[in-house]
Amino acid sequence: MSTVVAQSLHVFGLRSHVSNNVFFFDEQIIIFPSGNHCVKYNVDQKWQKFIPGSDKSQGMLALAISPNRRYLAISETVQDKPVITIYELSAIPCRKRKILNNFDFPVQKFICIAFSPDSKYLLTQTSPPESNLVYWLWEKQKVMAIVRIDTQNNAVYQVSFNPQDNTQICITGNGMFKLLRFAEGTLKQTNFQRGEPQNYLAHTWVSDDKIIAGTDTGRLFLFESGDQRWETSILVKEPTSETKNLGMIQESESLIEFPAVSSPVPSYEQVMMTSSHSQLSLPQVFAIAAYSKGFACSAGPGRVLLFEKMEDKEFYRESREIRIPVDPQSNDPSQSDKQDVLCMCFSPSEETLIASTSKNQLYSITMSLTEISKGEPAHFEYLMYPLHSASITGLDTCIRKPLIATCSVDRSVRIWNYESNSLELFKEYQEEAYTISLHPSGHYIVVGFADKLRIMNLLMDDIRSFKEYSVRGCKECSFSNGGHLFAAVNGNVIHIFSTTSLENISNLKGHTGKIRSVAWNTDDSKLISCGTDGAVYEWSLSTGKRETECVLKSCSYNCVTISPDGKIIFAVGSDQTLKEIADSSVIREMSAFDVIYTAIVISHSGRMMFVGTSLGTIRAMKYPLPLQKEFNEYQAHAGPVTKMSLTFDDQFLLSVAEDGCLFTWKVFDKDGRGIKREREVGFAEEVLVTKTDMEEKAQVMLELKTRVEELKMENEYQLRLKDMNYSEKIKELTDKFLQEMESLKTKNQVLKTEKEKQDVLHRERMDDLLDKQSRELQDLECCNNQKLLLEYEKYQELQLKSQRMQEEYEKQLRDNDETKSQALEELTEFYEAKLQEKTTLLEEAQEDVRQQLREFEETKKQIEEDEDREIQDIKTKYEKKLRDEKEANLRLKGETGIMRKKFSSLQKEIEERTNDIELLKVEQVKLQGVIKSLEKDIMGLKREIQERDETIQDKEKRIYDLKKKNQELEKFKFVLDYKIKELKKQIEPRENEIKVMKEQIQEMEAELERFHKQNTQLELNIIELWQKLRATDQEMRRERQKERDLEALVRRFKTDLHNCVAYIQEPRQLKEKVRALFEKYVQRADMVEIAGLNSDLQQEYTRQREHLERNLATLKKKVVKESELHRTDYVRIMQENVSLIKEINELRRELKFTRSQVYDLEASLKLTKKIQPEVSETVSSEDLPSVPPTMRLNVQEETGRIIEMQRLEIQRLRDQIQEQEQVPGFHPLAGVQLPSLSVEADSKAQTK
């Protein structure tokens, strides 16, 4: 095996014509087919993992995932043989669990597959003409049952299991809706089709026994246990005015043909081909997906309908419409939603719906969005990015950016990013794009369209053409490695253009057939080309002539490349070999082993080589090429590889093919001989932007800025107004709260005094009652003692009586026993005598019975003899009758057998005749339709022939006129050429003047920018000087104040000195006065002397001052930031205040309630005092109402506790607000402090 290894990194593409082509593995990961791989794509994290197809696979036909999400089944064709491979998804990486490839029944390919609910069984449907349905126990590779579904070669579109039953199966197809049940090793049909046969395209199970099926005429049927219960037709909504105009025009573009391998027989193309012209306007239901509320179904091009189950009925109604959005990047936006939805699936949580379309696109929508957009239809979004919908014909990459450029026959040009795995730019055109080349800088592309060759700028958000060449049908183009030249192929001619002057430098002619590939050598001095004529030429660009040539007419070359040293040319073609060409001769050929190489690329290091095959595989081999079969082959595409390219650093391989997929591969050499190029300079981030776009965006930004400032001003004004209102409300509420608190305090004190009074009264009553109770207890004890003595005496008397009675009863019992024994003896003697009499009578009766038995036996014998004679006679008579009846029965059986055979044969003939009649009717209808369509075609063609004859005549006349005009124009041309030469001579000096003026303008602009910078710097200096001036003014004021203070001091000193002079004659007093003067003034003078500053201190002072000014500026910025941070805290405190106010209101309500209770209780207490003053003294403690006072006490305690907690909470919040206000730079939104709760808090706030 080769040491060169390639690992698949990412794929851009989808194969939508694989049956069941998208489904969820879990909530974030989806699985879909791309190329010859199945891709596991994480929607959130954007990574891809690959499940490659089987070796020598010709493409996938159908997919199925097991209900437990553990297994994936893939139907493929490997070397023209059908294979089903089952992968275990839970394993990392996914591994093959079973391969089903040995079949005992005829099969071409499997077009539909499905897993059973328990994932143990697999259902496979083969293609016509066999149309066998096979029921597998796949773990053991055992066929449990097989049945032929259709004998008329009708297409089968879908098979499925009942989601709750392994044995029940549903099959739908053209004129086919069948329910089968697996029992006793066979599959038996359990339903019978009634009514007209429909072309059922899709179905889904909505419950255990209910199935929704959709047809190609836009009809939906609900079947329950095989019987039709409900039917509806999908309405085609009125098109808008724009689409009406488009609908009037017949679509000129032809259907894009995909490779036959990539689509199973009962696919989208077959349905579109079989559907008649009259049905094209009807919506076709290609996909149905069930979910908990109902189901979703495709309803014609670009449209999906959601149906929900009606609550009171077992039917469904249309609830939502989802559309594919119009693509603004498309050349014809109305065509972007003209794609049919082929497959849909819901995520496990039913939060997301994913759909794949006939143009290889993947769309998704969040189900919650569909509920929001009531009335108007919701719109899908791209799941990843717009993908190519047809064969990719061009591929190129650049040096300075991680970009890939591709073009396709779907008329689109796309720019991809292989680092971020995203689509950078995308644009569709009117003509098909055949080839593309990307400039090494990544700013320009050359695209060969069917009509012209265009050079385009890759702008930030657009692809814009800036030069066109009339090179028709350019199938190959390529920028040189330096980017200063590019080559474009037109048939058998190579045009060389300059990138700077955009002029045609030279034309290389020599090929006799179409040129298929061109390649530049490393220094761009030579160009190598190959074509269908079997020629490989090496061209010198300096002379424009061929240097070397190698012609082999038996081979049609597909691709050519050159080694990095420019000595060896590598070419691949139709002869299944890889050729090494040097010095106009083939020095070596390497066999491709029964495949055709379609593309070849060699690494810049010259160590690795990669080739693409017609089967879609990629082969990696080392260079120099090995003698034997030493290469690694990788499954990549489902069609022939069209182009391959390596990035400049040899890290990534890029490949495209006819299946519309782009693969990126990570490549490396295991031996490490291929030097990995480390990028000295990172990828460029510059983009091209036009001046007009920049000006427009700048204008928009200015407008938006002004709008933002206006909105800020409005918001600030509104906030101030709200702050004012809220502060006033808070003042009012706090005042009210304080008043209520004071009133509650007074009431609380009143209630406390009343409570104390009630406690005193209660204690007095309790003392009275206790005294009364003790007295009553003593009286009761005396009475009970006397009663006990009397009762004890009575008890002793009764005990004596009972003893006497017991003695009397014992005597009576003894007497009764004696009398009883005598009576028993007499009775036994009497009954013994009677018994002897009865035995004698019984013996006499037994003798009579024996005599009667003898007589009965004799009579019985006589009767039996008579009966035997009669039975014998009857037996002989009936035996004769039975023989006669048997003979008659045998005759009748023979006759009935003959009649049955005749009846069955007649019935078979009748069935055959009816089937033939039905088939003939169907054929008649088809033929009539064909005849009508052909008649219409004939009429249209006749009209076209007439019109074309007329147009030919007109064009011939036109050509004759144009020839005359051409002669005249040639005369004018000669005159105009002379004038143009003269004008050019006049224009040249003016152009020079314009250049000089432009240079002057640029210098002036540079000077203006310099002046602007100087102005800004001067403004900053002025601001600094103003700040310094303010500081010096403040210092000057301070100095002046000091000067005034010193002058006042000097005046005071002079007055004091004058007073001392008055005592000059008295030495003692003079001494005391001088001492006093010394004590009074000398110390201050010392302080003044100490405060005197020298020049060094002055400099230090200025330096520190500047440092403090800078610190002050930074602190101001910090204060502003902190104020913004604290603003959120203040808002939170305000919200807490609001909640506290709500609690205060609740407390008010509770206080009102307690107040009313107190008033009621006071009133009741006063009434009881007046009416029953005496009764209350005699009432016992049990009758007193003890519960209400305890209830009242609990309520009072609770209200008091709540009030105290509220007071503490408000005080805590007030302290917090004061701390926030003390933070420097914090300015609250409303500059009003909350008033204090009590008088003490008010006095504290005032003192503060």
Side-chain angles (χ1 to χ4, degrees):
M1 296 299 288
S2 174
T3 57
V4 179
V5 179
Q7 290 179 350
S8 51
L9 281 183
H10 203 86
V11 64
F12 305 92
L14 167 73
R15 292 189 58 228
S16 61
H17 300 282
V18 175
S19 177
N20 192 18
N21 55 47
V22 63
F23 37 78
F24 277 90
F25 175 62
D26 56 27
E27 196 63 37
Q28 285 82 32
I29 298 171
I30 63 165
I31 297 176
F32 60 89
S34 184
N36 204 20
H37 288 74
C38 271
V39 182
K40 287 173 74 176
Y41 175 69
N42 190 302
V43 179
D44 294 338
Q45 299 174 11
K46 310 295 183 191
W47 54 254
Q48 289 185 354
K49 291 181 181 175
F50 295 88
I51 304 168
S54 303
D55 292 339
K56 299 181 181 178
S57 171
Q58 294 167 330
M60 297 178 184
L61 301 174
L63 303 178
I65 191 168
S66 62
N68 59 9
R69 300 289 192 276
R70 283 189 63 190
Y71 306 110
L72 174 69
I74 301 174
S75 168
E76 298 173 285
T77 306
V78 178
Q79 293 180 334
D80 298 325
K81 292 181 182 179
V83 172
I84 291 175
T85 311
I86 296 160
Y87 290 87
E88 191 169 348
L89 293 173
S90 55
I92 300 173
C94 299
R95 61 183 178 84
K96 291 181 182 180
R97 182 68 179 264
K98 279 285 181 288
I99 299 172
L100 309 179
N101 54 7
N102 294 320
F103 309 111
D104 300 332
F105 47 87
V107 55
Q108 290 182 358
K109 51 189 169 184
F110 293 101
I111 53 174
C112 296
I113 47 179
F115 275 100
S116 63
D118 59 0
S119 307
K120 291 181 180 177
Y121 300 95
L122 188 70
L123 204 61
T124 60
Q125 174 66 43
T126 67
S127 62
E130 298 88 9
S131 295
N132 287 325
L133 181 70
V134 189
Y135 190 89
W136 296 83
L137 180 63
W138 62 268
E139 284 277 10
K140 296 180 180 178
Q141 300 183 6
K142 181 182 178 183
V143 175
M144 304 293 288
I146 185 169
V147 64
R148 188 169 184 182
I149 292 300
D150 188 62
T151 56
Q152 299 176 358
N153 289 340
N154 286 327
V156 178
Y157 297 128
Q158 190 178 350
V159 297
S160 67
F161 276 98
N162 184 328
Q164 305 296 329
D165 187 359
N166 284 346
T167 61
Q168 195 172 11
I169 296 157
C170 179
I171 301 136
T172 52
N174 190 358
M176 190 188 310
F177 177 83
K178 293 184 179 181
L179 287 174
L180 304 177
R181 187 171 286 282
F182 175 72
E184 298 175 358
T186 57
L187 288 165
K188 294 178 182 177
Q189 187 171 349
T190 58
N191 72 318
F192 297 97
Q193 290 185 343
R194 298 187 182 121
E196 294 181 7
Q198 301 284 335
N199 187 4
Y200 296 103
L201 300 179
H203 72 266
T204 188
W205 295 80
V206 289
S207 67
D208 296 349
D209 57 349
K210 291 179 184 176
I211 301 169
I212 293 284
T215 70
D216 61 346
T217 56
R219 298 171 74 186
L220 291 171
F221 296 93
L222 173 64
F223 294 95
E224 186 175 358
S225 302
D227 298 326
Q228 184 181 325
R229 300 294 184 195
W230 174 70
E231 177 187 352
T232 187
S233 292
I234 296 167
L235 299 173
V236 180
K237 295 196 175 180
E238 283 287 325
T240 58
S241 59
E242 294 175 5
T243 53
K244 274 182 185 176
N245 297 331
L246 290 162
M248 295 291 286
I249 304 162
Q250 290 184 353
E251 293 184 7
S252 61
E253 64 179 90
S254 61
L255 286 169
I256 297 157
E257 292 184 1
F258 283 81
V261 180
S262 67
S263 57
V265 173
S267 68
Y268 170 72
E269 287 91 348
Q270 196 180 48
V271 176
M272 294 302 289
M273 292 296 285
T274 55
S275 61
S276 64
H277 180 73
S278 62
Q279 290 179 354
L280 284 173
S281 60
L282 295 171
Q284 297 183 339
V285 182
F286 285 108
I288 307 176
Y291 70 114
S292 58
K293 293 182 181 178
F295 64 91
C297 70
S298 62
R303 191 162 163 243
V304 171
L305 297 178
L306 295 179
F307 284 82
E308 290 185 0
K309 192 174 182 181
M310 301 168 86
E311 292 178 0
D312 52 345
K313 297 179 182 177
E314 292 295 317
F315 304 144
Y316 294 83
R317 61 177 177 81
E318 183 186 334
S319 62
R320 299 280 184 282
E321 181 182 1
I322 310 170
R323 284 189 176 275
I324 292 172
V326 173
D327 193 346
Q329 297 297 327
S330 175
N331 178 56
D332 188 1
S334 64
Q335 293 299 316
S336 61
D337 59 349
K338 295 289 186 294
Q339 44 188 328
D340 287 294
V341 176
L342 299 185
C343 186
M344 291 186 296
C345 66
F346 286 93
S347 62
S349 65
E350 297 182 355
E351 182 62 26
T352 309
L353 171 65
I354 286 182
S356 66
T357 69
S358 56
K359 289 190 177 179
N360 294 357
Q361 305 298 329
L362 278 173
Y363 292 97
S364 70
I365 191 167
T366 306
M367 292 302 290
S368 55
L369 293 177
T370 61
E371 294 173 4
I372 293 164
S373 60
K374 289 186 178 177
E376 294 183 2
H379 286 90
F380 281 106
E381 294 177 350
Y382 282 109
L383 180 69
M384 299 178 284
Y385 24 69
L387 303 167
H388 280 296
S389 59
S391 171
I392 300 173
T393 54
L395 167 74
D396 201 9
T397 183
C398 65
I399 298 169
R400 294 288 292 120
K401 291 186 178 183
L403 298 181
I404 308 166
T406 58
C407 65
S408 169
V409 293
D410 63 4
R411 303 176 180 178
S412 70
V413 172
R414 295 166 203 259
I415 308 297
W416 312 87
N417 190 314
Y418 61 81
E419 267 198 342
S420 61
N421 295 324
S422 61
L423 180 67
E424 294 277 329
L425 291 170
F426 151 57
K427 199 164 186 180
E428 285 190 5
Y429 297 91
Q430 291 180 348
E431 298 293 332
E432 292 179 355
Y434 296 129
T435 180
I436 192 168
S437 182
L438 187 58
H439 193 269
S441 67
H443 292 312
Y444 318 105
I445 56 170
V446 173
V447 185
F449 289 96
D451 58 345
K452 287 183 181 178
L453 177 74
R454 293 181 175 90
I455 305 179
M456 303 182 180
N457 280 325
L458 296 181
L459 302 179
M460 189 167 68
D461 52 1
D462 193 13
I463 303 172
R464 204 168 292 173
S465 174
F466 68 90
K467 179 69 177 173
E468 293 182 352
Y469 298 98
S470 58
V471 179
R472 286 180 173 274
C474 177
K475 295 290 177 101
E476 191 68 31
C477 68
S478 176
F479 273 105
S480 63
N481 294 315
H484 60 291
L485 301 172
F486 66 90
V489 173
N490 183 12
N492 56 1
V493 181
I494 302 170
H495 302 282
I496 307 295
F497 296 91
S498 170
T499 309
T500 51
S501 64
L502 304 176
E503 291 178 356
N504 188 358
I505 296 169
S506 64
N507 297 322
L508 309 179
K509 297 178 182 178
H511 280 278
T512 58
K514 287 185 178 179
I515 298 168
R516 297 293 298 274
S517 177
V518 294
W520 297 83
N521 69 343
T522 310
D523 58 0
D524 297 332
S525 61
K526 294 176 185 177
L527 185 74
I528 294 90
S529 64
C530 70
T532 56
D533 55 358
V536 176
Y537 295 145
E538 186 177 359
W539 306 85
S540 173
L541 292 178
S542 57
T543 60
K545 295 179 180 178
R546 286 183 296 214
E547 286 198 350
T548 62
E549 59 182 56
C550 178
V551 181
L552 187 68
K553 290 188 178 180
S554 62
C555 175
S556 173
Y557 286 108
N558 293 323
C559 188
V560 69
T561 188
I562 189 167
S563 61
D565 56 6
K567 293 179 181 177
I568 299 171
I569 299 166
F570 302 95
V572 292
S574 59
D575 61 350
Q576 299 183 358
T577 58
L578 167 61
K579 296 179 178 63
E580 289 186 54
I581 302 168
D583 298 328
S584 301
S585 61
V586 178
I587 60 171
R588 189 175 170 203
E589 284 189 2
M590 181 182 172
S591 174
F593 303 100
D594 300 328
V595 295
I596 296 171
Y597 287 149
T598 56
I600 184 168
V601 66
I602 189 167
S603 65
H604 297 88
S605 63
R607 300 288 187 183
M608 299 181 287
M609 185 177 286
F610 302 92
V611 289
T613 69
S614 57
L615 297 177
T617 59
I618 287 170
R619 291 180 177 178
M621 55 190 80
K622 62 183 178 180
Y623 186 78
L625 295 173
L627 297 170
Q628 299 171 348
K629 187 179 178 181
E630 287 186 14
F631 53 79
N632 292 325
E633 189 164 8
Y634 300 99
Q635 295 296 320
H637 297 277
V641 176
T642 53
K643 295 283 180 185
M644 291 173 69
S645 179
L646 271 166
T647 57
F648 184 69
D649 56 1
D650 289 345
Q651 295 290 312
F652 301 101
L653 172 70
L654 316 170
S655 64
V656 295
E658 290 181 7
D659 59 0
C661 297
L662 162 63
F663 273 85
T664 61
W665 307 77
K666 177 77 173 172
V667 296
F668 52 90
D669 190 350
K670 282 184 180 177
D671 291 345
R673 293 187 302 153
I675 298 163
K676 292 185 179 178
R677 299 189 178 187
E678 296 292 334
R679 294 191 67 87
E680 295 177 0
V681 182
F683 287 122
E685 294 181 356
E686 296 82 8
V687 290
L688 292 180
V689 184
T690 60
K691 193 175 180 181
T692 54
D693 289 346
M694 285 294 289
E695 287 171 355
E696 285 174 5
K697 284 178 180 174
Q699 188 64 33
V700 170
M701 281 175 72
L702 281 169
E703 289 173 2
L704 289 169
K705 278 180 182 176
T706 53
R707 181 68 182 147
V708 165
E709 286 173 1
E710 288 172 5
L711 287 168
K712 274 185 181 176
M713 294 289 286
E714 285 178 12
N715 285 332
E716 284 174 1
Y717 178 67
Q718 292 292 332
L719 280 168
R720 284 196 205 99
L721 286 175
K722 284 181 180 176
D723 289 339
M724 295 285 285
N725 292 329
Y726 285 139
S727 60
E728 288 173 2
K729 284 179 183 176
I730 288 164
K731 273 185 181 178
E732 290 173 4
L733 288 166
T734 47
D735 293 337
K736 284 180 184 177
F737 180 68
L738 287 167
Q739 288 172 4
E740 286 176 2
M741 288 286 287
E742 286 171 0
S743 63
L744 283 167
K745 277 181 184 176
T746 53
K747 282 177 185 174
N748 201 359
Q749 288 174 357
V750 171
L751 288 166
K752 277 182 181 177
T753 52
E754 287 180 358
K755 182 197 159 193
E756 287 170 357
K757 288 177 185 176
Q758 290 290 330
D759 286 339
V760 170
L761 288 168
H762 186 67
R763 285 195 201 97
E764 289 175 356
R765 284 179 189 170
M766 284 292 289
D767 293 336
D768 295 339
L769 286 166
L770 286 167
D771 293 337
K772 206 183 266 186
Q773 191 182 9
S774 61
R775 284 197 297 274
E776 286 175 356
L777 271 168
Q778 286 175 0
D779 295 340
L780 284 166
E781 279 178 359
C782 294
C783 293
N784 286 328
N785 287 331
Q786 289 176 359
K787 284 178 182 177
L788 275 166
L789 288 166
L790 291 168
E791 289 295 327
Y792 184 69
E793 289 174 356
K794 285 179 184 177
Y795 171 73
Q796 284 180 347
E797 288 175 358
L798 287 166
Q799 200 170 6
L800 290 167
K801 281 182 182 178
S802 66
Q803 284 177 358
R804 290 192 202 111
M805 291 285 285
Q806 195 171 0
E807 289 173 355
E808 286 175 359
Y809 280 125
E810 284 176 354
K811 285 179 183 177
Q812 285 177 3
L813 279 166
R814 287 191 207 101
D815 297 337
N816 285 328
D817 287 335
E818 289 174 356
T819 53
K820 185 182 174 184
S821 59
Q822 288 175 2
L824 268 168
E825 287 174 356
E826 290 173 357
L827 282 167
T828 49
E829 288 173 359
F830 175 72
Y831 280 112
E832 281 175 356
K834 271 190 175 183
L835 205 144
Q836 286 175 357
E837 289 174 2
K838 293 289 179 186
T839 49
T840 53
L841 288 168
L842 203 140
E843 285 173 355
E844 290 172 357
Q846 281 176 351
E847 286 176 0
D848 292 335
V849 166
R850 288 190 199 100
Q851 196 171 355
Q852 285 175 0
L853 278 168
R854 291 190 204 100
E855 291 173 359
F856 175 74
E857 283 175 356
E858 287 175 1
T859 53
K860 184 181 170 185
K861 283 177 185 177
Q862 290 174 1
I863 290 162
E864 281 176 353
E865 287 172 357
D866 296 334
E867 290 296 323
D868 286 337
R869 286 193 211 100
E870 287 177 4
I871 287 161
Q872 197 69 30
D873 296 335
I874 290 161
K875 190 177 178 184
T876 53
K877 190 168 100 178
Y878 279 107
E879 277 177 355
K880 284 177 185 177
K881 278 186 181 181
L882 198 135
R883 285 192 209 97
D884 298 336
E885 290 292 331
K886 277 182 180 177
E887 288 171 0
N889 199 5
L890 285 167
R891 279 200 310 277
L892 289 167
K893 273 184 181 177
E895 288 173 4
T896 52
I898 293 158
M899 292 298 288
R900 273 179 189 166
K901 286 175 183 176
K902 283 181 181 179
F903 181 73
S904 61
S905 63
L906 286 167
Q907 205 166 9
K908 283 178 184 176
E909 284 178 7
I910 289 159
E911 285 176 357
E912 286 172 1
R913 295 284 178 244
T914 50
N915 289 329
D916 293 338
I917 289 158
E918 285 176 359
L919 289 167
L920 288 166
K921 280 180 181 177
V922 171
E923 285 177 2
Q924 188 182 359
V925 171
K926 285 180 181 177
L927 290 167
Q928 282 175 356
V930 171
I931 289 159
K932 285 177 183 176
S933 61
L934 289 169
E935 283 174 355
K936 287 178 184 175
D937 293 339
I938 289 158
M939 292 295 288
L941 290 166
K942 281 179 180 178
R943 285 194 211 98
E944 283 181 9
I945 289 159
Q946 287 175 359
E947 288 169 1
R948 286 183 181 178
D949 288 337
E950 290 170 2
T951 51
I952 287 160
Q953 288 173 4
D954 294 335
K955 283 181 179 178
E956 282 175 353
K957 287 177 185 176
R958 180 82 174 152
I959 288 159
Y960 180 70
D961 295 334
L962 287 167
K963 279 180 180 177
K964 282 184 179 179
K965 283 182 183 178
N966 199 8
Q967 289 172 0
E968 291 172 2
L969 288 166
E970 280 177 356
K971 291 174 185 176
F972 282 120
K973 185 186 174 187
F974 180 73
V975 176
L976 289 167
D977 284 337
Y978 179 72
K979 286 183 180 178
I980 286 161
K981 285 174 185 175
E982 287 181 350
L983 287 166
K984 278 183 178 177
K985 288 175 184 177
Q986 292 174 6
I987 287 162
E988 281 177 2
R990 290 189 180 178
E991 283 180 347
N992 293 328
E993 286 177 7
I994 288 161
K995 283 180 182 176
V996 171
M997 294 295 281
K998 279 182 179 176
E999 287 172 358
Q1000 287 177 0
I1001 287 161
Q1002 286 175 357
E1003 288 172 1
M1004 300 267 293
E1005 283 177 351
E1007 282 181 7
L1008 200 135
E1009 285 178 1
R1010 198 164 59 252
F1011 284 136
H1012 276 305
K1013 287 177 182 175
Q1014 286 176 0
N1015 284 336
T1016 51
Q1017 189 64 38
L1018 287 166
E1019 283 174 0
L1020 290 168
N1021 291 336
I1022 286 160
I1023 290 161
E1024 287 178 3
L1025 289 167
W1026 269 107
Q1027 288 174 355
K1028 287 180 180 178
L1029 197 137
R1030 287 195 197 97
T1032 51
D1033 282 340
Q1034 288 174 1
E1035 282 180 11
M1036 190 176 74
R1037 289 192 197 97
R1038 283 199 294 275
E1039 291 296 328
R1040 281 178 182 170
Q1041 187 65 36
K1042 283 180 184 177
E1043 190 182 352
R1044 288 191 205 99
D1045 294 341
L1046 288 167
E1047 283 176 358
L1049 187 71
V1050 168
R1051 283 193 211 100
R1052 286 200 301 275
F1053 183 78
K1054 279 180 181 179
T1055 53
D1056 290 340
L1057 189 66
H1058 189 268
N1059 291 331
C1060 282
V1061 170
Y1063 297 102
I1064 199 162
Q1065 299 295 330
E1066 297 174 2
R1068 279 186 186 173
Q1069 288 182 358
L1070 183 65
K1071 189 178 179 182
E1072 287 174 2
K1073 291 289 182 183
V1074 170
R1075 189 177 288 161
L1077 279 171
F1078 179 79
E1079 287 174 357
K1080 190 175 180 182
Y1081 294 106
V1082 169
Q1083 290 175 353
R1084 291 184 185 179
D1086 291 341
M1087 291 297 288
V1088 171
E1089 285 174 7
I1090 291 159
L1093 295 168
N1094 56 12
S1095 60
D1096 294 335
L1097 288 171
Q1098 188 69 32
Q1099 287 174 1
E1100 183 66 24
Y1101 169 72
T1102 53
R1103 189 180 63 76
Q1104 286 183 359
R1105 183 180 166 193
E1106 288 172 358
H1107 174 67
L1108 289 166
E1109 282 174 356
R1110 285 197 296 273
N1111 285 344
L1112 194 128
T1114 54
L1115 286 166
K1116 277 180 181 176
K1117 289 177 185 174
K1118 284 182 182 176
V1119 162
V1120 169
K1121 287 180 183 176
E1122 286 177 356
S1123 65
E1124 288 175 357
L1125 290 169
H1126 288 303
R1127 195 172 291 168
T1128 54
D1129 294 335
Y1130 184 75
V1131 170
R1132 182 178 57 74
I1133 290 160
M1134 288 292 287
Q1135 289 172 355
E1136 288 177 359
N1137 283 342
V1138 170
S1139 63
L1140 287 168
I1141 287 159
K1142 286 179 183 175
E1143 288 179 6
I1144 287 160
N1145 289 330
E1146 288 174 4
L1147 283 168
R1148 272 192 214 148
R1149 291 192 201 98
E1150 288 179 7
L1151 284 166
K1152 281 180 184 176
F1153 180 68
T1154 52
R1155 201 184 299 157
S1156 62
Q1157 274 190 344
V1158 167
Y1159 287 153
D1160 295 339
L1161 289 165
E1162 283 177 354
S1164 63
L1165 284 166
K1166 283 173 187 176
L1167 286 168
T1168 49
K1169 280 178 186 175
K1170 286 177 183 178
I1171 296 164
Q1172 294 176 349
E1174 293 176 358
V1175 176
S1176 62
E1177 290 177 2
T1178 58
V1179 174
S1180 65
S1181 62
E1182 292 174 2
D1183 298 329
L1184 281 170
S1186 59
V1187 177
T1190 55
M1191 288 291 287
R1192 191 172 70 249
L1193 284 168
N1194 289 336
V1195 170
Q1196 286 175 355
E1197 286 174 7
E1198 193 174 355
T1199 51
R1201 199 181 300 115
I1202 289 163
I1203 290 158
E1204 191 63 32
M1205 283 167 68
Q1206 293 295 327
R1207 189 182 289 112
L1208 290 168
E1209 182 66 17
I1210 290 162
Q1211 190 63 40
R1212 184 183 67 76
L1213 289 167
R1214 187 176 272 90
D1215 293 339
Q1216 196 172 350
I1217 290 162
Q1218 285 175 359
E1219 286 173 7
Q1220 298 272 346
E1221 285 173 353
Q1222 286 170 8
V1223 173
F1226 177 79
H1227 303 291
L1229 293 170
V1232 181
Q1233 292 185 2
L1234 287 170
S1236 58
L1237 274 170
S1238 61
V1239 180
E1240 292 174 5
D1242 285 332
S1243 63
K1244 283 178 185 177
Q1246 285 172 6
T1247 53
K1248 284 181 181 177

